[in-house]
Amino acid sequence: MTGSRAESAQVADSPERGHGKGIALLIIASCQLMVVLDITIVNIALPHIQSSLGFSTESLSWVINAYTLTFGGLLLLGGRLGDILGRRRVFVFGVLLFVLASLLGGLSQESWQLLAARALQGVGGAIASPTALSLITTTFREGPERNRAFGVFAAVSAGGSAIGLLAGGVLVEWLDWRWVFFVNVPIGLLIAFATPRFIKESQRHPGHFDLLGALTSTLGMVLLVYGFIRASEDGWTDVLTIGAFAGAVVFMAVFLTVERRSRQPITPLHMFRDRNRAGAYGMMLSLAAAMFGMFFFLTLFVQNILDFSPLRAGLAFLPVSVIIAISAGLASQLLPRWGPKPFMVTGAILAAGGLAWLTQTDVNSTYLGSILGPILVFGSGMGMQFVSLTLMAVSGVEPREAGAASGVLNATQQVGGSLGLSILVTVFGTASRNEAMDQIPRFLAEATPAQQLRFRRTGELPAPWGDQVLASGVSTAFVVAAVIAGVAALIALFVIQVRSSDLERLRGGGVPVPVDEPEDALDGAAGDRPGHGGTDGPRGPAVPPHKRGGSPPPG
């Protein structure tokens, strides 16, 4: 072992750090919970936001997408920021930016103000989230210790969505929809205050920021999502729809070109050369698309068709949070024995099966008879997935690229969620319009004069005709969501190949990956000296791609 690694091990195993690791994990998990929770805590408030700020049903999805697009688009840059500037300081900055954006969101008086605040929230989350995950990889050693930490992180990431729905229900029911934003302020300030006291600063790695890569990837995804949502409202032949898709192709092509030529790209493309890591990214993309769609449409369904109050709607999703936590905990304990593939395959099949079950929902459905069973099946599958995918995606990555690896994983989740939601909203819009064409003649034949007058003024069908339209759109969207989750199952079956070295890492054996040297504990560590840490100083040659993505060499 080199001198720097020996020092690192001493710091990692010191009583001070051992005593503080539990609190450090609590801080990291709390930040991830706040960031992930904010995606769905707003879902419960959507009907109230819609009536307060004047959104249409299709445009309402932008309240979600404005956050997830900037979040997913800038996650890679956020991970890179942590690698270069130090993960702790970048983590704190991201949390404080998220707090500011949350305050502005709660104070919004116009729809554009809320969307701008949501986008700024996404920027803060994109900075904080990947550094949170990379802090785990550099604080906890590979093996049982890191498996447990990843189990907690994965449970928070997966269960946070359901917890957000419950918290949103409580806040909207007892206070106001604006409190789904205000609640982040005290939590974020507490995290920012505690972080410097319990988390050591990581070593900074020389490099530069790939701003062009971040800009082109974000613009490409924004245009792609806008194209789908525009198509749901104005059709596939609309000029702006076609222009959005064309612009998305151009920007993504430029992004790939920039990444191939950059010495320090925001997305190290060599990471995708590892079959298992690429498969994990693909599975996360598919499963996130299905999960975002499920929460979005079920929230509308239970409040608009089942007439659940915001609090009751939040409680309706509480079993999902419980089953995800149980499933993730069991998976993290059994992974060293069985490996990740059985959990990846089984989890994806369960998720697809739960969504397929939800396709049977209609206006006569009940919560206990038609919704509880499917969401429990879906949640158990997702709990297995997040632990397995997280470990598979970052296992064997050198500490200097831990931020980039975790950034790609988080980016696939958020971008997959945004893209999937936009596709499902398009499917929903098309199915709803077709059902409305069938329901309008029946409405005109059966409605009272007052109902017909209101329809001519608003263009919206009242219940029960409007409920039929909504239910038809939701059930059709779940068909596509089940297919998307099925793609993840195919990837798990035919792409993922667990190697003996992967099982050794899960059991704590094999070649150790050192914990990053804390900057304030190892001043002038070897990582800042020429010839160490993968570069020959700030301007030295980059590590060959095949070495950057694999396990570090023996000390």
Side-chain angles (χ1 to χ4, degrees), residues 322-489:
V322 174
I323 196 67
I324 285 177
I326 294 173
S327 178
L330 289 175
S332 65
Q333 295 297 318
L334 297 174
L335 272 170
R337 180 184 303 175
W338 294 346
K341 182 164 183 173
F343 297 98
M344 298 171 87
V345 174
T346 304
I349 292 174
L350 287 174
L355 292 167
W357 192 352
L358 283 171
T359 63
Q360 304 303 308
T361 55
D362 56 31
V363 292
N364 298 315
S365 296
T366 63
Y367 174 74
L368 292 177
S370 305
I371 295 177
L372 180 59
I375 63 176
L376 288 176
V377 172
F378 179 85
S380 62
M382 293 304 293
M384 295 181 188
Q385 290 299 312
F386 277 100
V387 178
S388 305
L389 293 176
T390 301
L391 285 168
M392 187 63 71
V394 302
S395 178
V397 176
E398 290 187 9
R400 65 189 296 271
E401 288 189 328
S406 59
V408 173
L409 179 66
N410 278 288
T412 54
Q413 181 180 355
Q414 302 307 322
V415 170
S418 298
L419 183 59
L421 182 56
S422 65
I423 292 173
L424 296 176
V425 165
T426 302
V427 173
F428 167 84
T430 302
S432 296
R433 282 195 300 273
N434 293 337
E435 182 65 24
M437 296 300 293
D438 294 335
Q439 292 296 326
I440 288 176
R442 300 174 188 173
F443 166 76
L444 294 175
E446 301 171 6
T448 64
Q451 289 175 321
Q452 294 188 25
L453 179 62
R454 182 180 178 184
F455 172 70
R456 293 189 184 96
R457 187 169 59 249
T458 64
E460 296 181 1
L461 287 170
W465 304 276
D467 289 350
Q468 290 281 1
V469 172
L470 179 62
S472 177
V474 168
S475 62
T476 305
F478 282 138
V479 172
V480 178
V483 172
I484 294 174
V487 172

Side-chain angles (χ1 to χ4, degrees), residues 183-502:
V183 70
N184 294 323
V185 176
I187 297 174
L189 291 176
L190 184 60
I191 291 172
F193 174 79
T195 296
R197 289 158 177 78
F198 295 99
I199 297 179
K200 300 284 187 179
E201 181 59 280
S202 65
Q203 176 189 336
R204 288 181 288 181
H205 301 284
H208 70 275
F209 304 117
D210 183 12
L211 296 178
L212 183 58
L215 180 64
T216 53
S217 64
T218 302
L219 288 176
M221 288 308 305
V222 168
L223 286 174
L224 184 60
V225 169
Y226 176 76
F228 279 111
I229 294 177
R230 179 82 184 185
S232 71
E233 297 176 333
D234 298 285
W236 294 95
T237 59
D238 177 71
V239 174
L240 288 179
T241 300
I242 297 173
F245 284 128
V249 171
V250 171
F251 276 113
M252 294 310 294
V254 173
F255 167 70
L256 291 175
T257 301
V258 169
E259 298 308 281
R260 288 194 185 100
R261 295 179 178 177
S262 176
R263 290 184 59 202
Q264 293 181 321
I266 193 174
T267 309
L269 297 181
H270 68 269
M271 289 186 177
F272 292 89
R273 295 173 187 166
D274 183 283
R275 175 176 183 151
N276 288 340
R277 189 173 297 122
Y281 290 152
M283 290 184 65
M284 181 66 82
L285 192 77
S286 300
L287 292 168
M291 183 177 68
F292 277 49
M294 188 204 76
F295 282 122
F296 181 83
F297 288 112
L298 274 187
T299 300
L300 295 178
F301 187 89
V302 298
Q303 291 193 71
N304 292 332
I305 294 181
L306 300 185
D307 292 324
F308 279 20
S309 67
L311 177 58
R312 192 179 178 191
L315 290 171
F317 290 100
L318 183 59
V320 180
S321 177
V322 174
I323 196 67
I324 285 177
I326 294 173
S327 178
L330 289 175
S332 65
Q333 295 297 318
L334 297 174
L335 272 170
R337 180 184 303 175
W338 294 346
K341 182 164 183 173
F343 297 98
M344 298 171 87
V345 174
T346 304
I349 292 174
L350 287 174
L355 292 167
W357 192 352
L358 283 171
T359 63
Q360 304 303 308
T361 55
D362 56 31
V363 292
N364 298 315
S365 296
T366 63
Y367 174 74
L368 292 177
S370 305
I371 295 177
L372 180 59
I375 63 176
L376 288 176
V377 172
F378 179 85
S380 62
M382 293 304 293
M384 295 181 188
Q385 290 299 312
F386 277 100
V387 178
S388 305
L389 293 176
T390 301
L391 285 168
M392 187 63 71
V394 302
S395 178
V397 176
E398 290 187 9
R400 65 189 296 271
E401 288 189 328
S406 59
V408 173
L409 179 66
N410 278 288
T412 54
Q413 181 180 355
Q414 302 307 322
V415 170
S418 298
L419 183 59
L421 182 56
S422 65
I423 292 173
L424 296 176
V425 165
T426 302
V427 173
F428 167 84
T430 302
S432 296
R433 282 195 300 273
N434 293 337
E435 182 65 24
M437 296 300 293
D438 294 335
Q439 292 296 326
I440 288 176
R442 300 174 188 173
F443 166 76
L444 294 175
E446 301 171 6
T448 64
Q451 289 175 321
Q452 294 188 25
L453 179 62
R454 182 180 178 184
F455 172 70
R456 293 189 184 96
R457 187 169 59 249
T458 64
E460 296 181 1
L461 287 170
W465 304 276
D467 289 350
Q468 290 281 1
V469 172
L470 179 62
S472 177
V474 168
S475 62
T476 305
F478 282 138
V479 172
V480 178
V483 172
I484 294 174
V487 172
L490 293 176
I491 294 174
L493 278 169
F494 299 110
V495 176
I496 301 298
Q497 292 182 344
V498 178
R499 300 171 290 251
S500 58
S501 58
D502 297 320

Side-chain angles (χ1 to χ4, degrees), residues 12-30:
D13 295 335
S14 67
E16 179 182 354
R17 285 184 61 85
H19 177 72
K21 281 186 178 181
I23 300 178
L25 181 58
L26 177 63
I27 294 170
I28 293 169
S30 297

Side-chain angles (χ1 to χ4, degrees), residues 10 52 56 82 102 113 133 143 152 172 195 305 317 339 354 468 480 541 545:
Q10 292 170 3
S52 178
S56 67
S102 299
Q113 294 173 347
L133 181 55
V152 172
V172 174
T195 296
I305 294 181
F317 290 100
Q468 290 281 1
V480 178

